[in-house]
Amino acid sequence: MSTLQLPTYADVEAAAQRLEGHAHRTPVLTSRTVDQALGTQVFFKCENYQRMGAFKFRGAFNALAQFGERQRALGVVAFSSGNHAQGVALAARILGIPATIVMPQDAPAAKLAATRGYGAAVVTYDRYLEDREAIGRALAEEHGMALIPPYDHPGVLAGQGTAAKELFEEVGPLDALFVPLGGGGLLAGTALATHALAPQCKLYGVEPAAGNDGQQSLRAGHIVHIDTPKTLADGAQTQHLGQYTFAIIQRHVDDILTASDEALISCLRFYAERMKMVVEPTGCLGLAALRQVAEQWQGKRVGVIISGGNIDLPRYAQLLGGDQA
């Protein structure tokens, strides 16, 4: 771990420059209903309004934009449950880079369709029986493509940190910030930005309760591997943190919390009914955790990053209607 060259906030700043004119500067919204219910002042950074519907575009574009001419010609391969897939596919199309994406065969149909729609070739696998990382490495070696993982990559996590950079630039220092956690790219990038721009801000990662490998890792002091968790938060069905992401999280994150699928559904409905937003279950993790610990943040300024809004509409309708099956 000590030999890793960890990215810094300077890399987040460089990523912001590369993303200028390509990524949306997403809105920061507030809700009087939330503020009154929780007794806090909450600022929602809405990455569900980012290009391709999630923060993942930031990291994907930042990583691909640093390719040399030869690598641009050879192409890129990535593995993802959906949002990184779409982010890489869209970034590759913008930059004129051939892309192949390894996706689980049970990924949301909308994410599969969008990834193909951006022009990427899709290779499917069984997420419960096959190793996506091994499939991605084999494809990269066979065709000379660059493998861009969904989170454990300096360029990727630096790009993800630009969302928090924008949030702090818009609203100023916060007392606490709640961030969805899967493999840790968003949380690690956010940690770099938070440490630089709001060092007094308490930073919390939030995982699905069924997949708390990050929480276990932070407690144990080393990366803990788990089986693929079964949770509605498909964007956080990771089995472990990465070397880069864990090193930064261990250094700068105050704690990792969890939220049940039931809590995610409650937040998904709240976003739809009261804030008129489509938010995918993974994107609900931050608010779900804040609701649990709101008492300790009475009268404080709190941030919540909404990571994305990509969900199949039939499934979304089921969850809104009370069907959790």
Side-chain angles (χ1 to χ4, degrees), residues 177-211:
L177 180 57
F178 294 80
V179 183
L181 172 59
L186 179 61
L187 182 58
T190 298
L192 295 177
T194 303
H195 182 68
L197 300 177
Q200 302 306 312
C201 177
K202 297 293 186 181
L203 181 58
Y204 300 97
V206 189
E207 296 178 298

Side-chain angles (χ1 to χ4, degrees), residues 22 24 51-52 57 60-61 64-65 67 72 75-76 84-101 113-121:
H22 295 288
H24 296 324
R51 292 185 73 167
M52 51 70 44
F57 176 75
F61 188 91
L64 270 61
F67 282 9
R72 290 192 181 209
V76 60
H84 180 61
Q86 294 173 79
V88 170
L90 177 56
R93 188 182 75 177
I94 293 169
L95 295 166
I97 299 172
T100 298
I101 314 295
T115 302
R116 293 187 174 108
Y118 291 133

Side-chain angles (χ1 to χ4, degrees), residues 115-241:
T115 302
R116 293 187 174 108
Y118 291 133
V122 174
V123 175
T124 59
Y125 74 101
D126 186 329
R127 76 164 89 217
Y128 298 106
L129 299 176
E130 297 180 277
D131 183 346
R132 67 181 189 172
E133 298 181 30
I135 296 170
R137 284 194 300 270
L139 287 168
E141 291 170 7
E142 181 179 353
H143 301 289
M145 297 182 288
L147 177 62
I148 300 297
Y151 52 86
D152 202 32
H153 183 284
V156 169
L157 70 87
Q160 318 305 27
T162 60
K165 177 179 182 292
E166 292 174 5
L167 173 62
F168 288 120
E169 287 171 349
E170 183 163 339
V171 306
L174 297 169
D175 296 299
L177 180 57
F178 294 80
V179 183
L181 172 59
L186 179 61
L187 182 58
T190 298
L192 295 177
T194 303
H195 182 68
L197 300 177
Q200 302 306 312
C201 177
K202 297 293 186 181
L203 181 58
Y204 300 97
V206 189
E207 296 178 298
N212 71 330
D213 59 288
Q215 186 183 65
Q216 292 183 51
S217 299
L218 196 62
R219 304 278 195 276
H222 60 82
I223 297 173
V224 173
H225 292 243
I226 63 171
D227 292 333
T228 301
K230 294 188 176 181
T231 170
L232 291 176
D234 65 281
Q237 282 184 296
T238 48
Q239 296 176 302
H240 58 86
L241 300 176

Side-chain angles (χ1 to χ4, degrees), residues 58-82:
R58 296 175 182 270
F61 188 91
N62 185 52
L64 270 61
Q66 298 178 67
F67 282 9
E69 185 177 345
R70 181 174 182 275
Q71 194 56 63
R72 290 192 181 209
L74 289 171
V76 60
V77 61
F79 48 83
S80 165
S81 64

